[in-house]
Structure formats: structure tokens, C-alpha cells
């Protein structure tokens, strides 16, 4: 294994990164800690985009940092060892001859997830030496390399849709010598060649769980994915465990953030309404709902499904929830007893109703997901009894292939 054990600028930055993750309590697994110390991120992330434009700009202005250029090197090293997502590829572009400096237009089609989220995901999976590991959407391969460093050479495989990215990541992983493989393919089909897998990690969000993923999970195995709701505001994280007996258990919980959804999935957006809301926030009325805290993840996840079609504008001064397809919105304030509403859909009344149901259900933070239905219906529930919250995920192949807003 060709891992960097030498001191120096990059090694000291990795050590500082690991110390930071450890001191905050994010990093607790000694195997992952060792991998983070020794896997050279700079080999996998030789460049990075920095967004120059503000929110809502179109086209977007970017600046490309080239890690091999002396004028970019310090900023690039700081960036790739910081707790931020690394913007890596625009519009599926080839990656071998990118020009440093300013560039305008395009949208990010690949990024390296911010380090705390990667650490949390890999620790949730509980990787051990000898595990067979499969990752969907590995991008430049940062989490795949860490998994390979733990599981051992020849045990970690990534399935990457973009051919340019797959070839680029494989070349850099080979330079590291961790023994990871990247294959070009469709993540929705899994990867039968090396199945079954002890651990499956999806770096892309899906609206429901592809049955083939569960079929390729070994007894005793774990699968972790983001469930992409119609809004980027309130994602879910789903952990699937196959017992040694073959029984499947799946637990869904709300999260502050999640992986980007699969190609073709388009989130709702509040950007087009921002100026109108600022000019005309709506008609004030009393409210029985004090704006729920941001970390009431169980409530917000339920709202994403039980009050569908809503998105939050997190840049607004007070809580602002928009139903863009219904030209309606709700703006909390100016105090906790009032809310301003606009449009044919009473957005806030729907949230009041979901919140009341969530409270009656004992404020659930986790939900069970039944993946065993022979008809492909994946049912979510907070428990049993008449007060339990429940809903169904978008059904089967149609949800995975024909997604909301898909062009």
C-alpha cells in the first residue's frame, strides 16, 4: 500500500483535520482515524472549484484552483482539508486538462462530500478489515479510498455513472495503492459481479430504495443512503440492516443535510419567489404554531412527505416556507404569535396540522420503513396505533426513472 506517511505540509494538514474531527467528537473509530491520517486527499482532489457568484446567480461565476500551481497551492490545501464540500466537476466535463482561473456557467455534477458527513457515514456502516464494500456515486473517490484502506485491497468497489470521473478516480486511486476499483455503470442496477456486499454506501440520494441494492446485501450487512425528498430542505437518511437470518430492518431519520440526488432529480426551489416575498410577505394572521426549531428533524422529515411540495428559503431573515408550484408562501413573524401567508395554498396551516400530528405521535425522530412489500410499495411509519404517522415512498421503478421535474 502506497500511503503517505511522511511529515510536511500535507501531512500536518491531515493531522490537524483528524485532530479537529476527534476533538468535536465526530471521529471515534480508530480504523477510520488511521485511514484519514494516511490517505492522501491531495492525490484524489488535485483541483477544486470555488463559487464566486452569490445565491441565485445565473450564469454562475467560478474560479478553479489548481493544486499544482504555486499561486493556488495554499488555498487549495486549506480547502481540501477543511470541513466543506469540494466542488469538482461541471456538467460532466473531462477532468484531465482543466484550466485554472475564472470560468463562467455550468452546474456542479460532482463534488466530494464534506469530511464530517463522510466520517459519520463510514462510522455508521462500521467498516472492518475483510468487508466487501460497494459505493454508488464515488465521484473523485475520497470515501472509497478510506473504505479501501480499512477493508483491504480488492474489497472496495465504486459504481460511477460518468465515464470521465470513473477513469479519473481510478487513476488517482491506483496512485494511492489502496486497491479500490471504480467501474462505470448505473448505480440503480447495483453491481452484481462482486455481490453480495457486507456494506453498501450510496453517495447519491434516491426517492426510494432500489430493490436490487437490498438483494445484493449480504447477511449481517448494512446499507446507508440518503432518501431524496422533493425539497433540499429536509432530507432523510436510511439505514438498512440485513440480519444473519436474512430479515431486513430499515430505519429512517431526518438529517440537517444529505447527499445530492441522482442525475435528473430536480428539487423545488424558492429562489424565483424571493424578491416577491420580500416585497409582499403576505397577510398577517394569528398562529398556534411557534416556528419549530431547525433540529426538529423528525418533524421536518414528516412535513416533507405529509405537506408535499414545500421548500424552505434558509437565506431569509425569518422562517420562510414556499410552495413554488402553487405560488404560495408563509413567513413567520414578526413575533411568535403571528405568521404572514400568501396564495391559494395555506402553507402554514398545513405545517400546523403536521406538527399537531407529530406531537400526538410522541414526536418521533426515527421511522421504520417496510421494504418487504411484494408490490414494491415502501411504507414508512413512526409506530403502531391510530396516532402513528405514516406515508409511502414514491413507488418502484417509476420513481427511480421518472422523477419530479425530470426533463
Amino acid at each position: 500500500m502506497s500511503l503517505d506517511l511522511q511529515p510536511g505540509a500535507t501531512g500536518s494538514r491531515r493531522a490537524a483535520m483528524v485532530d479537529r474531527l476527534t476533538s468535536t467528537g465526530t471521529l471515534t473509530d480508530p480504523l477510520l482515524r488511521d485511514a484519514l491520517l494516511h490517505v492522501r486527499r491531495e492525490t484524489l482532489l488535485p483541483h477544486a472549484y470555488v463559487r464566486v457568484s452569490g445565491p441565485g446567480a445565473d450564469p454562475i461565476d467560478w474560479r478553479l484552483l489548481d493544486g499544482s500551481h504555486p499561486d493556488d497551492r495554499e488555498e487549495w490545501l486549506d480547502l481540501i482539508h477543511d470541513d466543506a464540500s469540494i466542488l469538482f466537476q461541471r456538467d460532466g466535463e473531462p477532468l484531465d486538462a482543466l484550466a485554472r482561473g475564472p470560468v463562467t456557467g455550468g452546474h456542479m455534477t460532482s463534488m466530494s462530500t464534506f469530511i464530517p458527513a463522510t466520517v459519520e457515514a463510514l462510522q455508521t456502516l462500521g467498516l472492518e478489515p475483510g468487508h466487501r464494500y460497494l459505493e454508488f456515486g464515488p465521484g473523485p473517490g475520497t470515501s472509497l479510498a478510506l473504505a479501501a484502506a480499512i477493508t483491504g485491497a480488492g474489497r472496495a468497489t465504486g459504481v460511477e455513472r460518468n465515464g470521465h470521473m470513473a477513469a479519473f478516480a481510478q487513476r488517482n486511486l491506483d496512485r494511492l495503492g489502496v486497491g479500490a476499483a471504480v467501474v462505470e455503470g448505473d448505480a440503480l442496477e447495483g453491481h452484481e459481479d462482486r455481490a453480495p456486499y457486507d456494506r453498501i454506501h450510496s453517495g447519491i440520494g434516491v426517492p426510494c430504495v432500489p430493490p436490487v441494492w437490498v438483494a445484493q446485501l449480504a447477511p449481517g450487512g448494512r446499507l446507508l443512503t440518503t432518501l431524496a425528498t422533493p425539497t433540499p430542505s429536509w432530507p432523510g437518511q436510511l439505514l438498512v440492516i440485513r440480519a444473519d437470518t436474512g430479515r431486513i430492518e430499515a430505519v429512517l431519520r431526518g438529517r440537517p443535510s444529505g447527499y445530492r440526488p441522482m442525475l435528473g432529480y430536480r428539487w423545488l426551489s424558492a429562489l424565483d419567489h424571493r424578491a416577491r416575498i420580500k416585497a409582499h410577505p403576505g397577510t398577517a394572521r394569528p398562529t398556534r404554531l411557534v416556528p419549530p426549531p431547525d433540529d426538529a428533524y423528525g418533524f421536518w422529515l414528516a412535513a416533507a412527505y405529509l405537506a408535499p411540495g414545500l421548500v424552505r428559503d434558509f437565506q431569509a431573515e425569518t422562517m420562510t416556507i414556499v410552495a413554488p408550484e402553487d405560488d404560495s408562501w408563509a413567513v413567520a413573524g414578526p413575533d411568535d404569535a403571528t405568521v404572514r401567508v400568501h396564495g391559494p395554498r395555506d402553507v402554514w396551516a398545513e405545517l400546523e396540522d403536521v406538527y399537531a400530528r407529530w406531537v400526538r405521535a410522541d414526536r418521533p425522530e426515527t421511522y421504520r420503513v417496510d421494504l418487504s412489500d411484494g408490490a414494491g410499495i415502501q411504507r414508512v411509519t413512526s409506530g403502531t396505533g391510530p396516532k402513528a404517522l405514516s406515508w409511502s415512498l414514491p413507488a418502484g421503478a417509476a420513481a427511480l426513472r421518472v422523477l419530479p421535474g425530470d426533463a
Side-chain angles (χ1 to χ4, degrees), residues 198-231:
D198 301 294
R199 299 293 187 265
I200 298 176
H201 177 211
S202 175
I204 55 174
V206 288
C208 62
V209 184
V212 69
W213 291 6
V214 180
Q216 292 178 6
L217 189 63
R222 294 186 174 194
L223 184 162
L224 188 69
T225 186
T226 292
L227 279 190
T229 67
T231 167

Side-chain angles (χ1 to χ4, degrees), residues 18 118 123 146 179 237 396 402 407:
V18 168
T118 297
Q123 288 184 157
L146 293 170
Q237 183 187 72
V402 184

Side-chain angles (χ1 to χ4, degrees), residues 53-70:
S53 299
D58 189 16
I60 301 171
D61 291 327
W62 315 91
R63 182 166 56 91
L64 182 74
L65 300 177
D66 180 352
S68 66
H69 196 283

Side-chain angles (χ1 to χ4, degrees), residues 316-404:
E317 293 181 1
T318 61
M319 183 176 288
T320 300
I321 312 292
V322 186
E325 295 176 343
D326 299 294
D327 198 33
S328 302
W329 54 79
V331 180
D335 54 60
D336 288 342
T338 62
V339 64
R340 289 167 288 180
V341 296
H342 170 88
R345 181 175 174 182
D346 192 334
V347 170
W348 200 256
E350 293 183 40
L351 291 178
E352 288 175 326
D353 176 67
V354 174
Y355 188 82
R357 293 172 60 189
W358 182 67
V359 170
R360 288 197 299 270
D362 294 328
R363 303 172 185 263
E365 290 299 322
T366 62
Y367 300 86
R368 299 287 176 177
V369 185
D370 184 357
L371 302 177
S372 63
D373 189 296
I377 303 299
Q378 298 177 2
R379 188 74 175 168
V380 182
T381 180
S382 66
T384 59
K387 295 181 180 179
L389 297 177
S390 63
W391 62 85
S392 294
L393 299 178
L400 291 165
R401 296 295 181 185
V402 184
L403 297 165

